[in-house]
Amino acid sequence: MHLVAANVKSTWIEYVNLRNKSLACYLNDCPSVSHVDEVLPFGGKLPWQAMTIEGKREPILACREVSGGYTLDAHREVLKAVSFQVQAGECLSITGPSGSGKSALLRLLNRFDDPVQGEIRFRERPLQYYDPLELRRRIALVLQHPVMFHGTVRENLLRRPNGGQLSESTLVQALADVGLDRSFLDRNAMELSGGEKQRLSIARALLGEPEILLLDEPTSALDARSLHLVVDTITQLNRVKGLTLIVVTHQAELIHRLGGRVLFLEGGRIVREEGAELAARLLEEHG
Amino acid sequence: MKPIIDVGIIHLILALILVLLVLAISYRERLGLERDLIIATARTFLQLFLVGYFLIYLFAWDRWELVLLTLIVMLSAASWIAVGRLEHPLPGARWIAVASLVVGSAITLAFVTQVVIQVEPWYDPRYLIPIGGMILGNAMTGAALAGERFQGELRSRVEEVETLLALGFSGMEATRDLYRSALRAAMIPTINAMLAVGIVQLPGMMTGQILSGTSPLIAVKYQIVVMLMITCAVALSSFLFLHLTVKRYLTPAHQLRRQLIL
């Protein structure tokens, strides 16, 4: 029995290496690895649906022929038959000129808006299947301009739908995840710098223990120093915590550091898909 | 008691001299208000005389059906005006305005005329029409203020609302602060009016009663009832109006209908 288990584990590791993912990230994504021995007798199938023993995985999120979306300036549908998939633990960047529908697309993924046509599936089920409030906790959107409420950082972190019943250590951990220390808890949230607010709004989203984090232009309004810190934070979330990320950005540095796939959106269509390195170079050359 | 002095037509026309003074200022300072002022003066004469003759007939006929019909016409006009103040039209807002003004005003009017003043017969137009008018007018202003304020707050604080929605708050929870501040904005003017009443200026109704020979003490009692009923009608109508319109800005899936505000 233990031998079989070891074999399965090694298959995973191969798979993980194939996908260029760290083991830490992978174990985090599939926390039941330690229970493999108990699981195997059941026909060699693992308990979570999304994976088979061969390592073939269903996408965590899939857009099929999605049209619609809404932008403030256009007052019309922007996206036209957009299709793409995201695997768990992946990091996907979306870039393109302003008005191309990047933010509109992101707003469809947590059901801020519903598409006019096409379907979006999260863990193999259409988004409408889920309670919208629960969905927004699991697919957390961090908006472009971080909004802080009056009060301390602690009060801001505790402002959650089901009351603020989080332990001090949970809050400290959330701050640590975005590279802030516990001394921030008692600071006035309104007086933080732009970069600190941005990281705090990410920490706030993390407290809901999301499965996918959507980031809308997370570095657009930051000075160079804050930009590095926020880029570090975001990259760490994917590398260390194995969090699935979908990031809308036009910042070459962020794309480059994130790695992974990059979708180019133009006029509401995906016109190109590249690896991060080439994409970052293209962006730096052509702006 | 001395008889009431009627203002003769000649003397009423003399009052136009006051308007001429305003015209002179507008002309001298190039305010460009002359045209508006003339139209406004003409309309004041026309509308008030029409209402005066209408009331004479209404009082003479003394029929409850006509009183009710008049109140309904006043109500329609009030809801029309209340909704017209919204910068961005809100689908269905007219019916919401009608519903909230009906409930808010009807409860107050019924209570004041039947329980407090005990009007006899119950539909006496001398009481129901002017009191109904005061209630409706103020309820209309309150509902309009609440609706306008909420829409304005939503427009300027849309990112705050969306931040809360993104965290998993329901639509009602995400807009609660805005709702409160809109409701406060609607209710504060009448509360302030109660604080200041009688100190600088006597309210219009009390002035009218005193001028027409009523004892000041009776006028005061009526005025107190009027202040309380206006506060109540404003609070009820703006609360209902706001409560029903907030949902219009949201979908059942807790999505903000941004196209309605931006």
Side-chain angles (χ1 to χ4, degrees), chain B residues 31-210:
Chain B
L31 303 181
L33 289 175
E34 294 91 324
R35 207 182 107 90
D36 284 354
L37 189 65
I38 291 168
I39 292 175
T41 309
R43 279 186 59 167
T44 301
F45 269 76
L46 188 71
Q47 285 163 207
L48 287 182
F49 266 110
L50 279 178
V51 168
Y53 279 112
F54 176 75
L55 287 180
I56 286 175
Y57 285 113
L58 195 65
F59 293 172
W61 278 328
D62 204 17
R63 297 283 303 253
W64 68 267
E65 299 94 328
L66 287 175
V67 174
L68 210 62
L69 188 70
T70 310
L71 286 173
I72 290 173
V73 171
M74 285 159 65
L75 174 83
S76 318
S79 34
W80 195 272
I81 295 169
V83 171
R85 297 246 193 102
L86 287 177
E87 197 174 322
H88 291 253
L90 183 66
R94 179 141 304 134
W95 292 110
I96 295 177
V98 170
S100 37
L101 289 185
V102 165
V103 177
S105 305
I107 291 177
T108 319
L109 183 62
F111 186 79
V112 166
T113 55
Q114 308 309 311
V115 179
V116 180
I117 305 178
Q118 301 196 340
V119 174
E120 191 59 48
W122 66 269
Y123 58 85
D124 188 349
R126 275 177 198 278
Y127 290 86
L128 261 81
I129 298 299
I131 292 178
M134 276 191 282
I135 291 177
L136 270 173
N138 284 282
M140 171 191 86
T141 312
L145 200 60
E148 204 184 347
R149 177 66 177 262
F150 183 78
Q151 199 177 68
E153 290 268 318
L154 198 53
R155 202 161 34 239
S156 61
R157 294 165 74 179
V158 62
E159 286 183 335
E160 180 184 325
V161 172
E162 292 198 324
T163 299
L164 291 172
L165 288 174
L167 284 170
F169 283 96
S170 72
M172 291 303 263
E173 288 167 332
T175 51
R176 186 151 297 153
D177 279 357
L178 288 63
Y179 167 87
R180 283 206 189 104
S181 99
L183 199 51
R184 283 173 59 91
M187 289 168 60
I188 282 173
T190 53
I191 296 174
N192 284 346
M194 287 209 287
L195 289 174
V197 68
I199 293 178
V200 176
Q201 192 186 14
L202 295 180
M205 192 199 74
M206 195 173 142
T207 310
Q209 280 187 308
I210 292 174

Side-chain angles (χ1 to χ4, degrees), chain A residues 186-207:
Chain A
D186 291 311
R187 283 180 57 181
N188 183 347
M190 309 296 275
E191 287 169 5
L192 301 178
S193 74
E196 287 164 345
K197 281 183 185 170
Q198 188 59 266
R199 285 190 282 164
L200 196 59
S201 66
I202 294 173
R204 192 162 55 185
L206 291 179
L207 283 172

Side-chain angles (χ1 to χ4, degrees), chain A residues 15 25 70 90 97 119 132 173 183 186 204 221 225 265 284:
Chain A
Y15 166 74
C25 139
Y70 177 80
E90 203 190 334
E119 192 186 49
Q173 182 57 47
S183 70
D186 291 311
R204 192 162 55 185
R225 199 182 143 271
L265 218 57
E284 267 174 351

Side-chain angles (χ1 to χ4, degrees), chain A residues 98-162:
Chain A
S98 62
S100 58
K102 305 185 296 287
S103 299
L105 178 57
L106 222 48
R107 297 172 65 90
L108 294 179
L109 302 182
N110 78 334
R111 280 200 82 197
F112 259 14
D113 295 308
D114 287 327
V116 177
Q117 274 179 359
E119 192 186 49
I120 305 172
R121 294 175 86 88
F122 170 55
R123 296 200 182 277
E124 297 184 79
R125 290 209 164 97
L127 293 187
Q128 284 83 351
Y129 168 84
Y130 301 91
D131 167 49
L133 304 182
E134 172 68 5
L135 183 81
R136 288 185 194 142
R137 180 191 67 72
R138 295 174 70 179
I139 305 181
L141 171 64
V142 175
L143 293 160
Q144 183 172 2
H145 303 290
V147 175
M148 293 296 133
F149 299 97
H150 285 285
T152 60
V153 168
R154 178 184 283 105
E155 283 160 354
N156 269 270
L157 291 176
L158 288 176
R159 189 152 180 183
R160 309 204 57 77
N162 300 320

Side-chain angles (χ1 to χ4, degrees), chain B residues 15-34:
Chain B
L16 281 175
I17 291 173
L18 302 172
V19 177
L20 286 179
L21 271 172
V22 183
L23 265 181
I25 293 173
S26 171
Y27 181 75
R28 199 191 112 91
E29 301 297 327
R30 295 170 201 271
L31 303 181
L33 289 175
E34 294 91 324

